[in-house]
C-alpha cells in the first residue's frame, strides 16, 4: 500500500484539483499501509468488531446496502 501511494504521488500532477485529490489518496494509502505494518489484520478485525458493537443499526444498514449493490451487480452480468 505504501508503494502504491508513492507511485500515485510520482505520476500525478503537483497542482490543481487533481493534484490535491491524488495527494489525498496517496496519503491515505500510505497511512493505511503503516497501520497494517504496526497492528496487523487481527487488530483491524478487533477494531471493526468494536465499531459494529457500538453502532449496530448503522452497521446492519450498511451491510444491507452493500449486499443490495453486490446482488444488483451480479444480476446484470
Amino acid at each position: 500500500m505504501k508503494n502504491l501511494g508513492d507511485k500515485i504521488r510520482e505520476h500525478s500532477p503537483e497542482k490543481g484539483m487533481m493534484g490535491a485529490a491524488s495527494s489525498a489518496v496517496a496519503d491515505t494509502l500510505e497511512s493505511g499501509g503503516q497501520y497494517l505494518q504496526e497492528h496487523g489484520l487481527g487488530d483491524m478485525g478487533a477494531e471493526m468488531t468494536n465499531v459494529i458493537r457500538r453502532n449496530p443499526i448503522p452497521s446492519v444498514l450498511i451491510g444491507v446496502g452493500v449486499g443490495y449493490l453486490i446482488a444488483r451487480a451480479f444480476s446484470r452480468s
Side-chain angles (χ1 to χ4, degrees):
M1 286 176 69
K2 290 172 100 176
N3 291 338
L4 182 59
D6 288 338
K7 290 197 187 266
I8 288 173
R9 197 178 306 281
E10 286 175 11
H11 298 292
S12 64
E14 293 182 21
K15 296 182 181 178
M17 186 181 291
M18 288 299 291
S22 60
S23 178
V25 169
D27 290 342
T28 302
L29 284 170
E30 289 171 350
S31 66
Q34 183 178 358
Y35 176 85
L36 283 174
Q37 278 185 336
E38 292 173 2
H39 298 283
L41 291 175
D43 289 341
M44 192 171 156
E47 285 185 26
M48 184 64 78
T49 302
N50 289 333
V51 168
I52 292 170
R53 283 185 181 150
R54 286 189 308 248
N55 305 297
I57 293 174
S59 299
V60 169
L61 293 175
I62 289 171
V64 168
V66 169
Y68 173 77
L69 292 174
I70 291 172
R72 192 164 172 181
F74 281 117
S75 68
R76 290 186 177 182
S77 298

CSV table of all heavy atoms in Angstrom, one decimal, residues 35-36 39-54:
chain,number,residue,atom,x,y,z
A,35,TYR,N,-0.4,1.6,9.2
A,35,TYR,CA,-1.2,1.0,10.2
A,35,TYR,C,-1.2,-0.5,10.2
A,35,TYR,O,-1.0,-1.2,11.2
A,35,TYR,CB,-2.7,1.5,10.0
A,35,TYR,CG,-3.6,0.8,11.0
A,35,TYR,CD1,-3.8,1.4,12.3
A,35,TYR,CD2,-4.3,-0.3,10.7
A,35,TYR,CE1,-4.7,0.8,13.2
A,35,TYR,CE2,-5.2,-0.9,11.5
A,35,TYR,CZ,-5.4,-0.4,12.8
A,35,TYR,OH,-6.2,-1.0,13.7
A,36,LEU,N,-1.3,-1.1,9.0
A,36,LEU,CA,-1.2,-2.5,8.8
A,36,LEU,C,0.1,-3.1,9.3
A,36,LEU,O,0.2,-4.2,9.9
A,36,LEU,CB,-1.5,-3.0,7.4
A,36,LEU,CG,-3.0,-2.9,7.0
A,36,LEU,CD1,-3.1,-3.3,5.5
A,36,LEU,CD2,-3.8,-3.9,7.9
A,39,HIS,N,0.0,-2.8,13.3
A,39,HIS,CA,-1.0,-3.5,14.0
A,39,HIS,C,-1.4,-4.9,13.4
A,39,HIS,O,-1.8,-5.8,14.2
A,39,HIS,CB,-2.3,-2.7,14.1
A,39,HIS,CG,-2.1,-1.4,14.8
A,39,HIS,ND1,-1.9,-1.3,16.2
A,39,HIS,CD2,-1.9,-0.1,14.4
A,39,HIS,CE1,-1.7,-0.1,16.6
A,39,HIS,NE2,-1.7,0.7,15.5
A,40,GLY,N,-1.4,-5.0,12.2
A,40,GLY,CA,-1.8,-6.3,11.5
A,40,GLY,C,-3.3,-6.4,11.4
A,40,GLY,O,-4.1,-5.6,11.8
A,41,LEU,N,-3.7,-7.5,10.7
A,41,LEU,CA,-5.1,-7.7,10.4
A,41,LEU,C,-5.9,-8.1,11.6
A,41,LEU,O,-7.1,-7.8,11.6
A,41,LEU,CB,-5.2,-8.8,9.3
A,41,LEU,CG,-4.7,-8.4,7.9
A,41,LEU,CD1,-4.7,-9.6,7.0
A,41,LEU,CD2,-5.5,-7.3,7.3
A,42,GLY,N,-5.3,-8.7,12.6
A,42,GLY,CA,-6.0,-9.1,13.8
A,42,GLY,C,-6.5,-7.9,14.5
A,42,GLY,O,-7.7,-7.9,15.0
A,43,ASP,N,-5.7,-6.9,14.7
A,43,ASP,CA,-6.1,-5.7,15.4
A,43,ASP,C,-7.2,-5.0,14.6
A,43,ASP,O,-8.1,-4.4,15.2
A,43,ASP,CB,-4.9,-4.8,15.6
A,43,ASP,CG,-4.0,-5.3,16.7
A,43,ASP,OD1,-4.4,-6.2,17.5
A,43,ASP,OD2,-2.8,-4.8,16.8
A,44,MET,N,-7.0,-5.0,13.3
A,44,MET,CA,-8.0,-4.3,12.4
A,44,MET,C,-9.4,-5.0,12.6
A,44,MET,O,-10.4,-4.3,12.7
A,44,MET,CB,-7.6,-4.4,11.0
A,44,MET,CG,-8.3,-3.5,10.0
A,44,MET,SD,-7.4,-3.6,8.5
A,44,MET,CE,-8.7,-3.2,7.4
A,45,GLY,N,-9.4,-6.3,12.7
A,45,GLY,CA,-10.7,-7.0,12.9
A,45,GLY,C,-11.3,-6.7,14.2
A,45,GLY,O,-12.5,-6.6,14.3
A,46,ALA,N,-10.4,-6.6,15.2
A,46,ALA,CA,-10.9,-6.3,16.6
A,46,ALA,C,-11.5,-4.9,16.6
A,46,ALA,O,-12.6,-4.7,17.3
A,46,ALA,CB,-9.8,-6.5,17.6
A,47,GLU,N,-10.9,-4.0,16.0
A,47,GLU,CA,-11.4,-2.6,15.9
A,47,GLU,C,-12.8,-2.6,15.2
A,47,GLU,O,-13.7,-1.9,15.6
A,47,GLU,CB,-10.4,-1.7,15.3
A,47,GLU,CG,-9.3,-1.3,16.2
A,47,GLU,CD,-8.4,-0.3,15.6
A,47,GLU,OE1,-8.8,0.5,14.8
A,47,GLU,OE2,-7.2,-0.3,16.0
A,48,MET,N,-12.9,-3.3,14.1
A,48,MET,CA,-14.1,-3.3,13.3
A,48,MET,C,-15.2,-4.0,14.2
A,48,MET,O,-16.4,-3.5,14.1
A,48,MET,CB,-13.9,-4.1,12.0
A,48,MET,CG,-15.1,-4.2,11.2
A,48,MET,SD,-15.6,-2.5,10.5
A,48,MET,CE,-14.4,-2.4,9.2
A,49,THR,N,-14.9,-5.0,14.9
A,49,THR,CA,-15.9,-5.6,15.8
A,49,THR,C,-16.4,-4.6,16.9
A,49,THR,O,-17.6,-4.5,17.1
A,49,THR,CB,-15.3,-6.8,16.5
A,49,THR,OG1,-14.9,-7.8,15.5
A,49,THR,CG2,-16.3,-7.5,17.4
A,50,ASN,N,-15.5,-3.8,17.4
A,50,ASN,CA,-15.9,-2.8,18.4
A,50,ASN,C,-16.8,-1.7,17.8
A,50,ASN,O,-17.7,-1.3,18.4
A,50,ASN,CB,-14.6,-2.2,19.0
A,50,ASN,CG,-13.9,-3.1,20.0
A,50,ASN,OD1,-14.5,-4.0,20.5
A,50,ASN,ND2,-12.6,-2.9,20.1
A,51,VAL,N,-16.5,-1.3,16.6
A,51,VAL,CA,-17.3,-0.3,15.9
A,51,VAL,C,-18.7,-0.8,15.7
A,51,VAL,O,-19.7,-0.1,15.9
A,51,VAL,CB,-16.6,0.1,14.6
A,51,VAL,CG1,-17.6,1.0,13.7
A,51,VAL,CG2,-15.4,0.9,14.8
A,52,ILE,N,-18.8,-2.1,15.2
A,52,ILE,CA,-20.1,-2.7,15.0
A,52,ILE,C,-20.9,-2.8,16.3
A,52,ILE,O,-22.1,-2.6,16.3
A,52,ILE,CB,-19.9,-4.1,14.3
A,52,ILE,CG1,-19.4,-3.8,12.9
A,52,ILE,CG2,-21.2,-4.8,14.2
A,52,ILE,CD1,-19.0,-5.1,12.1
A,53,ARG,N,-20.2,-3.2,17.4
A,53,ARG,CA,-20.9,-3.3,18.7
A,53,ARG,C,-21.4,-2.0,19.2
A,53,ARG,O,-22.5,-1.9,19.8
A,53,ARG,CB,-20.0,-3.9,19.7
A,53,ARG,CG,-19.8,-5.4,19.6
A,53,ARG,CD,-19.0,-5.9,20.7
A,53,ARG,NE,-18.8,-7.4,20.5
A,53,ARG,CZ,-17.8,-8.0,20.9
A,53,ARG,NH1,-16.8,-7.4,21.5
A,53,ARG,NH2,-17.7,-9.3,20.7
A,54,ARG,N,-20.7,-0.9,18.9
A,54,ARG,CA,-21.1,0.4,19.4
A,54,ARG,C,-22.2,1.0,18.5
A,54,ARG,O,-23.0,1.8,18.9
A,54,ARG,CB,-19.9,1.4,19.4
A,54,ARG,CG,-19.0,1.1,20.5
A,54,ARG,CD,-17.9,2.3,20.6
A,54,ARG,NE,-17.3,2.5,19.3
A,54,ARG,CZ,-16.0,2.3,19.1
A,54,ARG,NH1,-15.2,1.8,20.0
A,54,ARG,NH2,-15.5,2.5,17.9
